[in-house]
Every structure is written in C-alpha cells, then in structure tokens.
Amino acid sequence: MEGIKLNQIGVSFKGSGSYVPDQILTNQKISQKVDTSDEWIKSRTGIAERRISSSGDNVTEMGYKAAKTAISMANWDIETIDLIILATSTPHDLFGSAPSIQAKLGANNAVAFDLTAACSGFLFALITASQFLKGGSFKRALVIGADQLSSFVDWNDRRSCILFGDGAGALAIEAISEFDNFIGFDMQTDGERGSFLNLPSKNKMDSIIDNVNFLSGGFSPIQMNGQEVYKFAVREVPLILDKLFRKTNISSDEIDWLVLHQANQRILDSVGERLKISRKKILSNLENYGNTSAATIPLMMDEAIRNNKIKQNDIIATSGFGAGLSWGAALIKWG
C-alpha cells in the first residue's frame, strides 16, 4: 500500500530515538522489598525488569537524549526544527520541560510546550503535531514522550510498584506534499472513570498570616484500580482500533505491526486476539522496561526500527490508553 495521494500537505516519518537510565530494577530485587516474586510478576504482567532514574536522569535529560538520536536519524539541521512537543506527566519543571529540551538542543527556531495525557500522552502529542504540520503552520516537528514514574510510586505497594519504570522516546516528523503517511486517528476521553488511575495532588493546609490560609503543593503516590484499568483497556482499545480500520478502509490483515502502550502483556495479547492480529505482529518490550507511560510507544518503535523489524513503508497500528481515562489510536506508514 502506498501513502495516500493528496493535493494538500501530508506527514512523513523521518527518525526515531530513545533513552533509558542505566539503573536496572529486577523482579528479584523488588521481591526483597515487598511480598512478591519474579514468577508472580511475570505471569500477571510480563515484566521482568524496569529502568529507574538516578541523579541526572530527569525528564528533561531523558527527553533531550531521545530527541537528539531522532534528529540524527532524520539527518536534520537543528535550526530547521519548528515545533517540539513533550508528552509527560512527570516534568522536571511543573511549568514545562519542553522549553529546556529546546534550549539544550539549540533548536532556536522551534516553539516548545508540554502535553499531559499520561499513558495516552505520546499518541495525543503525535496527533497534535501532525495537525500542525498538515495545517501548514510548521514544517518539522519533534514529538517526545518521557516519564519518570519511579518518583511517584509507592514502593511499599506491591500492586503498583511492580509495573512502572522510567524512559524516553522520540519521533521526528516532517510535512510533505507528495503523500500522507499519517493515515488516520481517533481519540476518546471518559472522565467519569478517571478515578481508576490517578496521581493526585496532596495539599497541606497552612497559614500565610492570621486568617489567610493556603494549601502547600505536593503529590500523593500513583493510585490505581488495576482490575478496572485492565477491563477498560481490553474493551476500549480493540473498539477504537476497529473503528479506525473501518474509517480508513484498511483491514487488520494489512497491518504490518501493532504497537500498543506497553502496560501489561495480557492486554497486548487480548487486543491482538480480538482484532485477529497475529502475535508475530505485536511488538512488545515491556519485559525489559515495564510501563514508562508516555515513553512506551516511541521507545518500542525506536527499538524495532533500529533492529530492522519496522521497515520503510510498513503500516503500523498504534494505540495509547490510560489515565483520564483517555485512549486513542492512529494508523501510520513508516517513512
């Protein structure tokens, strides 16, 4: 299948990059902290180990390193980048970390901002950037997903501490007039179910002066209803992907790869089964990294591209899903 021919602007995918911290936390090491085991974790999640940030491995640094490798693959002049979107829920600076990445890269002509949508963040950011390019506002964009969830995990909660890790990934995308390799997308949000997965603020009442109080800032650890999140994912992700297949007149048989948010191997397998997509086409690396939130999709794509699994003109179905609750899907053609 060739890219869709257009009389308008389309999107081409030019490069990928990723970065993970060096520090490895295995299931065996977690079992020394909480009552669990390597077998129990693997059988329920598929995760064997995850990367944990230490000093220097904040979201800005991880995002910068992932972006740099994506720019290198794209062979871009830094000065030609117009837009940088950082998908993260754990910024190094609550006012935004994308501008710091822009400065570190020396991308002086780029506008940069953060986008927060948790595990759907990268997909939402990729869709947002593609619309800017198709609208003619910008020519070249970097889309980065980076999260440092280890800072917000309750390491005494064995239900959640086994799941999360840190990392970053990035894609370099470009406006082009000959074809459009961003084939289609869909996005959904259901705030009624938002309580299933949260990183809520935790405020302490204090006083400025007599009779004038304020709430000091802070956050509680990640709170998750794992059973409800699982049921949500295995139901909604196949539905939104199937809807997108029908909207774009592409069947699941035509897909070369399925790249889902790397949350749980059972979710990946269930979605593949419901869509009748072969396991050979389902890309997974969560065994090595766990759930890195906004980083999972670009981290998986970069690994597959550099291992020559994803090749030029391959059609990729991808879906991000998680807190909000939010979820989305996109069909792209690599190249």
Side-chain angles (χ1 to χ4, degrees):
M1 175 183 172
E2 295 186 2
I4 299 170
K5 301 293 183 182
L6 293 179
N7 294 319
Q8 57 188 24
I9 300 172
V11 172
S12 178
F13 295 83
K14 294 298 186 181
S16 65
S18 61
Y19 173 82
V20 292
D22 292 332
Q23 189 171 232
I24 298 173
L25 180 63
T26 64
N27 291 345
Q28 289 89 345
K29 289 180 180 178
I30 286 183
S31 67
Q32 297 172 24
K33 175 73 174 175
V34 295
D35 183 16
T36 189
S37 69
D38 177 57
E39 181 182 1
W40 191 92
I41 297 170
K42 278 183 180 175
S43 65
R44 286 160 178 79
T45 70
I47 300 167
E49 58 188 39
R50 65 289 292 150
R51 301 300 180 97
I52 303 297
S53 296
S54 56
S55 60
D57 276 329
N58 57 58
V59 161
T60 296
E61 285 296 323
M62 293 192 295
Y64 161 71
K65 290 172 181 175
K68 220 179 159 187
T69 55
I71 294 166
S72 178
M73 182 185 289
N75 197 28
W76 284 352
D77 181 338
I78 296 284
E79 297 290 331
T80 66
I81 299 168
D82 304 301
L83 173 65
I84 299 170
I85 303 180
L86 169 65
T88 186
S89 297
T90 56
H92 186 50
D93 182 341
L94 277 178
F95 286 169
S97 291
S100 295
I101 294 174
Q102 179 249 10
K104 285 180 70 66
L105 289 170
N108 301 319
N109 295 317
V111 61
F113 61 88
D114 290 16
L115 184 153
T116 300
C119 299
S120 301
F122 180 80
L123 186 69
F124 282 20
L126 186 64
I127 292 166
T128 300
S130 75
Q131 299 311 293
F132 275 117
L133 297 187
K134 290 186 181 191
S137 300
F138 301 112
K139 173 70 174 175
R140 286 177 169 173
L142 273 175
V143 185
I144 307 164
D147 268 307
Q148 189 176 342
L149 292 178
S150 64
S151 297
F152 299 95
V153 167
D154 179 354
W155 290 103
N156 292 307
D157 179 6
R158 69 172 186 165
R159 298 168 301 173
S160 62
C161 75
I162 63 174
L163 300 173
F164 300 107
D166 304 333
L171 292 183
I173 66 175
E174 185 172 88
I176 193 166
S177 59
E178 292 84 3
F179 53 83
D180 187 6
N181 281 344
F182 201 102
I183 300 167
F185 69 89
D186 200 355
M187 306 162 74
Q188 297 285 329
T189 300
D190 181 4
E192 293 292 331
R193 292 185 280 178
S195 62
F196 294 163
L197 182 54
N198 301 105
L199 206 174
S201 62
K202 183 179 181 180
N203 304 120
K204 179 183 176 183
M205 184 71 76
D206 208 338
S207 176
I208 302 172
I209 58 172
D210 291 344
N211 301 319
V212 180
N213 298 322
F214 78 102
L215 295 171
S216 63
F219 292 91
S220 298
I222 294 169
Q223 299 174 7
M224 183 176 70
N225 185 327
Q227 186 175 13
E228 290 297 335
V229 171
Y230 178 84
K231 288 193 294 185
F232 145 73
V234 298
R235 171 178 167 76
E236 300 294 354
V237 174
L239 288 175
I240 199 169
L241 280 166
D242 184 61
K243 178 183 175 184
L244 185 57
F245 291 153
R246 287 185 278 108
K247 187 166 80 172
T248 56
N249 294 315
I250 292 175
S251 73
S252 60
D253 292 338
E254 295 178 78
I255 300 305
D256 293 297
W257 303 106
L258 179 63
V259 181
L260 301 177
H261 165 55
Q262 306 283 296
N264 184 304
Q265 189 62 46
R266 292 190 299 167
I267 293 174
L268 273 61
D269 293 341
S270 177
V271 172
E273 287 172 10
R274 295 190 183 202
L275 294 172
K276 296 181 171 57
I277 295 175
S278 167
R279 284 195 176 190
K280 294 179 181 178
K281 295 183 177 183
I282 303 172
L283 295 179
S284 174
N285 64 1
L286 64 85
E287 178 182 8
N288 299 321
Y289 306 115
N291 181 348
T292 57
S293 192
T296 67
I297 290 174
L299 182 58
M300 181 68 259
M301 287 188 64
D302 182 52
E303 185 175 288
I305 290 161
R306 292 178 186 276
N307 290 339
N308 294 315
K309 277 193 169 183
I310 294 177
K311 298 181 176 66
Q312 192 82 3
N313 297 324
D314 279 359
I315 300 173
I316 303 161
T318 182
S319 178
F321 50 90
L325 293 173
S326 62
W327 65 105
L331 278 174
I332 66 174
K333 182 179 176 187
W334 182 252

